[in-house]
Amino acid sequence: MPLPTVVVQVDPSHPSPEILAEAAARILRGELVAFPTETVYGLGANAFDAEAVRRIFEAKQRPFDDPLIVHLAEIEEVEMVATEFSAVAARLASLFWPGPLTLLLPRHAALPVEVTSGLDTVAVRIPSHPVALGLLAACGVPIAAPSANRFGHTSPTSAAHVVEDLDGAVELILDGGPTPLGIESTVVDPRPTPAVILRPGGVTREQLEAAIGPVRYAEPGERRAASPGRLPRHYAPRAEVILCAGDSAEAIAASIDEHALRLIAGGRSAGVLAASEVHQELKSSLAHVFDLGGWDDLLGIARRLFLGMRTLEAAHVEVILCHLVPAHGLGLAVNDRLRRAAHPLQK
Ligand code: TXA
Ligand code: MG
């Protein structure tokens, strides 16, 4: 039976204590609550309630072998979920928490195995969004929360996206408007030397290296540093995504034009997801275009990326033509999501 999903507006900077208390009471009763973080919306449950955690997997149709991130209100709570906090982990936490960094730590035995999918590590972060922090503080328990989308789909950067994917599967959605960063947290394994980026995200490689020296970036497809969310096809809209290459805006636009002509000739509908500079050079006039903003504004691109994918998907285009961005700063995370969205569907 589908649940009645309640959507409540909440001020993103000063969430009402009454609303947070209501959401916290629901979490403590074993219900699911979707809430905004600075990265994307999360689908939360009490991390110590195994039954509620199982419901997260069911709601998302996520395989049980893909572990969840545990969110904390403050650093002192780490000892509730992990047995050890190494010097490297502590340094990263002191610099980047609250914020978009997730650290793998040795798992505490008290944590239900469902959260970590039976692994001996737990992924932990303190989010910086006032609604997420307020909810965590009001609950007093760690909240296990993956992104609030159906498994494999584009992550949600607004409450409307959560409704699209999870209406009837979650009790409450706190609508705090669009998320400020728009791309997920960086997942880091701080145990090996050098530390490993398992998923690039909101904290950049450059920021990590300034803090702890060289880090290794495990390219997608590299098996050894397996993080289940690193499945090749992920973050994907319901359209084929084609990455158009070129070493300038003009060259990328030419490649998009070429693909567009071929697709139209073949009777297929296409949309363009590209930086403003590329849009300016396009010759073809497709009905469905989404402007990611200026090429150099990687934060702006990160913010608009998932909205762009979902907007073109909602326009029912069969193919999305887009391009990679400069591979520094947030560009590493943007390109990771684009490559995974573009990975061919397994037939
Ligand atoms: O920004 C974010 O990280 C958002 C917000 C809601 O916090 N959450 C998020 O969760 O993106 P999710 O479940 O969509 O992605 C978590 C990633 C997955 O790739 C998962 O496989 C990985 O973290 N992960 C979780 N626990 C892990 C563990 N113990 N070892 C390796 N990877 C782990
Ligand atoms: Mg996810």
Side-chain angles (χ1 to χ4, degrees), residues 133-157:
L133 274 179
L135 175 62
L136 284 158
C139 288
V141 295
I143 294 182
S147 50
N149 51 279
R150 263 180 305 97
F151 182 70
H153 196 211
T154 312
S155 293
T157 54

PDB file of all heavy atoms in Angstrom, residues 133-157:
ATOM      1  N   LEU A 133      21.342  19.447   9.700  1.00  0.00           N
ATOM      2  CA  LEU A 133      21.949  19.544  11.040  1.00  0.00           C
ATOM      3  C   LEU A 133      20.882  19.671  12.122  1.00  0.00           C
ATOM      4  O   LEU A 133      20.974  19.053  13.179  1.00  0.00           O
ATOM      5  CB  LEU A 133      22.886  20.745  11.108  1.00  0.00           C
ATOM      6  CG  LEU A 133      24.319  20.517  10.634  1.00  0.00           C
ATOM      7  CD1 LEU A 133      25.105  21.814  10.752  1.00  0.00           C
ATOM      8  CD2 LEU A 133      24.990  19.397  11.432  1.00  0.00           C
ATOM      9  N   GLY A 134      19.866  20.484  11.832  1.00  0.00           N
ATOM     10  CA  GLY A 134      18.779  20.686  12.799  1.00  0.00           C
ATOM     11  C   GLY A 134      18.024  19.389  13.054  1.00  0.00           C
ATOM     12  O   GLY A 134      17.689  19.061  14.194  1.00  0.00           O
ATOM     13  N   LEU A 135      17.776  18.636  11.984  1.00  0.00           N
ATOM     14  CA  LEU A 135      17.075  17.355  12.123  1.00  0.00           C
ATOM     15  C   LEU A 135      17.919  16.375  12.942  1.00  0.00           C
ATOM     16  O   LEU A 135      17.414  15.709  13.856  1.00  0.00           O
ATOM     17  CB  LEU A 135      16.777  16.784  10.733  1.00  0.00           C
ATOM     18  CG  LEU A 135      16.151  15.391  10.693  1.00  0.00           C
ATOM     19  CD1 LEU A 135      14.785  15.378  11.372  1.00  0.00           C
ATOM     20  CD2 LEU A 135      16.033  14.899   9.242  1.00  0.00           C
ATOM     21  N   LEU A 136      19.216  16.309  12.632  1.00  0.00           N
ATOM     22  CA  LEU A 136      20.103  15.394  13.364  1.00  0.00           C
ATOM     23  C   LEU A 136      20.150  15.750  14.846  1.00  0.00           C
ATOM     24  O   LEU A 136      20.092  14.868  15.714  1.00  0.00           O
ATOM     25  CB  LEU A 136      21.513  15.438  12.756  1.00  0.00           C
ATOM     26  CG  LEU A 136      21.657  14.690  11.433  1.00  0.00           C
ATOM     27  CD1 LEU A 136      22.855  15.195  10.642  1.00  0.00           C
ATOM     28  CD2 LEU A 136      21.781  13.177  11.689  1.00  0.00           C
ATOM     29  N   ALA A 137      20.243  17.040  15.128  1.00  0.00           N
ATOM     30  CA  ALA A 137      20.310  17.469  16.523  1.00  0.00           C
ATOM     31  C   ALA A 137      18.997  17.146  17.240  1.00  0.00           C
ATOM     32  O   ALA A 137      18.992  16.694  18.387  1.00  0.00           O
ATOM     33  CB  ALA A 137      20.610  18.965  16.599  1.00  0.00           C
ATOM     34  N   ALA A 138      17.874  17.342  16.542  1.00  0.00           N
ATOM     35  CA  ALA A 138      16.565  17.089  17.169  1.00  0.00           C
ATOM     36  C   ALA A 138      16.353  15.599  17.425  1.00  0.00           C
ATOM     37  O   ALA A 138      15.700  15.221  18.395  1.00  0.00           O
ATOM     38  CB  ALA A 138      15.453  17.641  16.268  1.00  0.00           C
ATOM     39  N   CYS A 139      16.912  14.743  16.570  1.00  0.00           N
ATOM     40  CA  CYS A 139      16.753  13.284  16.736  1.00  0.00           C
ATOM     41  C   CYS A 139      17.621  12.743  17.853  1.00  0.00           C
ATOM     42  O   CYS A 139      17.228  11.837  18.564  1.00  0.00           O
ATOM     43  CB  CYS A 139      17.217  12.537  15.501  1.00  0.00           C
ATOM     44  SG  CYS A 139      16.177  12.665  14.111  1.00  0.00           S
ATOM     45  N   GLY A 140      18.853  13.227  17.905  1.00  0.00           N
ATOM     46  CA  GLY A 140      19.808  12.668  18.868  1.00  0.00           C
ATOM     47  C   GLY A 140      20.338  11.297  18.472  1.00  0.00           C
ATOM     48  O   GLY A 140      21.059  10.673  19.242  1.00  0.00           O
ATOM     49  N   VAL A 141      19.955  10.825  17.292  1.00  0.00           N
ATOM     50  CA  VAL A 141      20.528   9.550  16.799  1.00  0.00           C
ATOM     51  C   VAL A 141      21.148   9.803  15.427  1.00  0.00           C
ATOM     52  O   VAL A 141      20.705  10.701  14.713  1.00  0.00           O
ATOM     53  CB  VAL A 141      19.459   8.423  16.659  1.00  0.00           C
ATOM     54  CG1 VAL A 141      18.896   8.033  17.999  1.00  0.00           C
ATOM     55  CG2 VAL A 141      18.354   8.815  15.677  1.00  0.00           C
ATOM     56  N   PRO A 142      22.171   9.019  15.067  1.00  0.00           N
ATOM     57  CA  PRO A 142      22.713   9.134  13.714  1.00  0.00           C
ATOM     58  C   PRO A 142      21.650   8.731  12.687  1.00  0.00           C
ATOM     59  O   PRO A 142      20.802   7.874  12.964  1.00  0.00           O
ATOM     60  CB  PRO A 142      23.863   8.122  13.708  1.00  0.00           C
ATOM     61  CG  PRO A 142      24.197   7.893  15.153  1.00  0.00           C
ATOM     62  CD  PRO A 142      22.908   8.049  15.887  1.00  0.00           C
ATOM     63  N   ILE A 143      21.670   9.380  11.542  1.00  0.00           N
ATOM     64  CA  ILE A 143      20.702   9.088  10.483  1.00  0.00           C
ATOM     65  C   ILE A 143      21.421   8.466   9.286  1.00  0.00           C
ATOM     66  O   ILE A 143      22.352   9.059   8.732  1.00  0.00           O
ATOM     67  CB  ILE A 143      19.952  10.372  10.043  1.00  0.00           C
ATOM     68  CG1 ILE A 143      19.074  10.883  11.195  1.00  0.00           C
ATOM     69  CG2 ILE A 143      19.101  10.121   8.798  1.00  0.00           C
ATOM     70  CD1 ILE A 143      18.241  12.116  10.853  1.00  0.00           C
ATOM     71  N   ALA A 144      20.978   7.252   8.934  1.00  0.00           N
ATOM     72  CA  ALA A 144      21.499   6.613   7.721  1.00  0.00           C
ATOM     73  C   ALA A 144      20.708   7.184   6.556  1.00  0.00           C
ATOM     74  O   ALA A 144      19.479   7.197   6.586  1.00  0.00           O
ATOM     75  CB  ALA A 144      21.300   5.101   7.792  1.00  0.00           C
ATOM     76  N   ALA A 145      21.414   7.697   5.544  1.00  0.00           N
ATOM     77  CA  ALA A 145      20.695   8.314   4.421  1.00  0.00           C
ATOM     78  C   ALA A 145      21.484   8.224   3.123  1.00  0.00           C
ATOM     79  O   ALA A 145      22.557   8.812   3.006  1.00  0.00           O
ATOM     80  CB  ALA A 145      20.382   9.779   4.719  1.00  0.00           C
ATOM     81  N   PRO A 146      20.927   7.513   2.159  1.00  0.00           N
ATOM     82  CA  PRO A 146      21.465   7.601   0.803  1.00  0.00           C
ATOM     83  C   PRO A 146      20.794   8.777   0.110  1.00  0.00           C
ATOM     84  O   PRO A 146      19.920   9.429   0.690  1.00  0.00           O
ATOM     85  CB  PRO A 146      21.004   6.286   0.172  1.00  0.00           C
ATOM     86  CG  PRO A 146      19.684   6.020   0.829  1.00  0.00           C
ATOM     87  CD  PRO A 146      19.778   6.603   2.233  1.00  0.00           C
ATOM     88  N   SER A 147      21.184   9.062  -1.116  1.00  0.00           N
ATOM     89  CA  SER A 147      20.474  10.082  -1.887  1.00  0.00           C
ATOM     90  C   SER A 147      19.032   9.610  -2.094  1.00  0.00           C
ATOM     91  O   SER A 147      18.782   8.425  -2.256  1.00  0.00           O
ATOM     92  CB  SER A 147      21.181  10.305  -3.219  1.00  0.00           C
ATOM     93  OG  SER A 147      21.421   9.078  -3.873  1.00  0.00           O
ATOM     94  N   ALA A 148      18.091  10.577  -2.100  1.00  0.00           N
ATOM     95  CA  ALA A 148      16.663  10.234  -2.093  1.00  0.00           C
ATOM     96  C   ALA A 148      16.098  10.068  -3.505  1.00  0.00           C
ATOM     97  O   ALA A 148      15.130  10.718  -3.882  1.00  0.00           O
ATOM     98  CB  ALA A 148      15.884  11.292  -1.313  1.00  0.00           C
ATOM     99  N   ASN A 149      16.725   9.192  -4.270  1.00  0.00           N
ATOM    100  CA  ASN A 149      16.260   8.886  -5.622  1.00  0.00           C
ATOM    101  C   ASN A 149      16.066   7.378  -5.734  1.00  0.00           C
ATOM    102  O   ASN A 149      16.559   6.627  -4.900  1.00  0.00           O
ATOM    103  CB  ASN A 149      17.319   9.322  -6.649  1.00  0.00           C
ATOM    104  CG  ASN A 149      18.698   8.781  -6.306  1.00  0.00           C
ATOM    105  OD1 ASN A 149      19.396   9.349  -5.464  1.00  0.00           O
ATOM    106  ND2 ASN A 149      19.080   7.664  -6.900  1.00  0.00           N
ATOM    107  N   ARG A 150      15.349   6.961  -6.783  1.00  0.00           N
ATOM    108  CA  ARG A 150      15.336   5.531  -7.051  1.00  0.00           C
ATOM    109  C   ARG A 150      16.740   5.100  -7.422  1.00  0.00           C
ATOM    110  O   ARG A 150      17.498   5.855  -8.033  1.00  0.00           O
ATOM    111  CB  ARG A 150      14.363   5.198  -8.187  1.00  0.00           C
ATOM    112  CG  ARG A 150      12.998   4.728  -7.695  1.00  0.00           C
ATOM    113  CD  ARG A 150      12.073   4.411  -8.844  1.00  0.00           C
ATOM    114  NE  ARG A 150      11.951   5.559  -9.742  1.00  0.00           N
ATOM    115  CZ  ARG A 150      12.646   5.720 -10.875  1.00  0.00           C
ATOM    116  NH1 ARG A 150      13.510   4.807 -11.293  1.00  0.00           N
ATOM    117  NH2 ARG A 150      12.479   6.799 -11.610  1.00  0.00           N
ATOM    118  N   PHE A 151      17.103   3.887  -7.082  1.00  0.00           N
ATOM    119  CA  PHE A 151      18.459   3.395  -7.315  1.00  0.00           C
ATOM    120  C   PHE A 151      18.861   3.554  -8.789  1.00  0.00           C
ATOM    121  O   PHE A 151      18.109   3.189  -9.687  1.00  0.00           O
ATOM    122  CB  PHE A 151      18.563   1.921  -6.910  1.00  0.00           C
ATOM    123  CG  PHE A 151      19.945   1.370  -7.091  1.00  0.00           C
ATOM    124  CD1 PHE A 151      20.980   1.778  -6.266  1.00  0.00           C
ATOM    125  CD2 PHE A 151      20.213   0.462  -8.107  1.00  0.00           C
ATOM    126  CE1 PHE A 151      22.263   1.282  -6.441  1.00  0.00           C
ATOM    127  CE2 PHE A 151      21.494  -0.037  -8.284  1.00  0.00           C
ATOM    128  CZ  PHE A 151      22.519   0.374  -7.457  1.00  0.00           C
ATOM    129  N   GLY A 152      20.038   4.118  -9.005  1.00  0.00           N
ATOM    130  CA  GLY A 152      20.560   4.252 -10.361  1.00  0.00           C
ATOM    131  C   GLY A 152      20.129   5.517 -11.070  1.00  0.00           C
ATOM    132  O   GLY A 152      20.714   5.909 -12.068  1.00  0.00           O
ATOM    133  N   HIS A 153      19.074   6.179 -10.554  1.00  0.00           N
ATOM    134  CA  HIS A 153      18.573   7.394 -11.200  1.00  0.00           C
ATOM    135  C   HIS A 153      19.396   8.598 -10.744  1.00  0.00           C
ATOM    136  O   HIS A 153      20.156   8.517  -9.791  1.00  0.00           O
ATOM    137  CB  HIS A 153      17.084   7.564 -10.846  1.00  0.00           C
ATOM    138  CG  HIS A 153      16.347   8.525 -11.714  1.00  0.00           C
ATOM    139  ND1 HIS A 153      15.290   9.275 -11.259  1.00  0.00           N
ATOM    140  CD2 HIS A 153      16.502   8.866 -13.018  1.00  0.00           C
ATOM    141  CE1 HIS A 153      14.836  10.024 -12.248  1.00  0.00           C
ATOM    142  NE2 HIS A 153      15.542   9.790 -13.322  1.00  0.00           N
ATOM    143  N   THR A 154      19.204   9.704 -11.473  1.00  0.00           N
ATOM    144  CA  THR A 154      19.859  10.969 -11.141  1.00  0.00           C
ATOM    145  C   THR A 154      19.506  11.401  -9.705  1.00  0.00           C
ATOM    146  O   THR A 154      18.345  11.336  -9.315  1.00  0.00           O
ATOM    147  CB  THR A 154      19.343  12.037 -12.143  1.00  0.00           C
ATOM    148  OG1 THR A 154      19.425  11.471 -13.458  1.00  0.00           O
ATOM    149  CG2 THR A 154      20.153  13.285 -12.071  1.00  0.00           C
ATOM    150  N   SER A 155      20.490  11.861  -8.948  1.00  0.00           N
ATOM    151  CA  SER A 155      20.240  12.283  -7.561  1.00  0.00           C
ATOM    152  C   SER A 155      19.333  13.517  -7.510  1.00  0.00           C
ATOM    153  O   SER A 155      19.352  14.339  -8.414  1.00  0.00           O
ATOM    154  CB  SER A 155      21.560  12.591  -6.853  1.00  0.00           C
ATOM    155  OG  SER A 155      22.308  11.420  -6.691  1.00  0.00           O
ATOM    156  N   PRO A 156      18.544  13.643  -6.430  1.00  0.00           N
ATOM    157  CA  PRO A 156      17.583  14.751  -6.333  1.00  0.00           C
ATOM    158  C   PRO A 156      18.204  16.013  -5.735  1.00  0.00           C
ATOM    159  O   PRO A 156      18.803  15.977  -4.669  1.00  0.00           O
ATOM    160  CB  PRO A 156      16.523  14.191  -5.370  1.00  0.00           C
ATOM    161  CG  PRO A 156      17.272  13.209  -4.524  1.00  0.00           C
ATOM    162  CD  PRO A 156      18.453  12.709  -5.303  1.00  0.00           C
ATOM    163  N   THR A 157      18.019  17.129  -6.426  1.00  0.00           N
ATOM    164  CA  THR A 157      18.507  18.396  -5.894  1.00  0.00           C
ATOM    165  C   THR A 157      17.348  19.303  -5.487  1.00  0.00           C
ATOM    166  O   THR A 157      17.559  20.459  -5.129  1.00  0.00           O
ATOM    167  CB  THR A 157      19.404  19.112  -6.927  1.00  0.00           C
ATOM    168  OG1 THR A 157      18.688  19.242  -8.165  1.00  0.00           O
ATOM    169  CG2 THR A 157      20.674  18.304  -7.195  1.00  0.00           C
TER     170      THR A 157
END
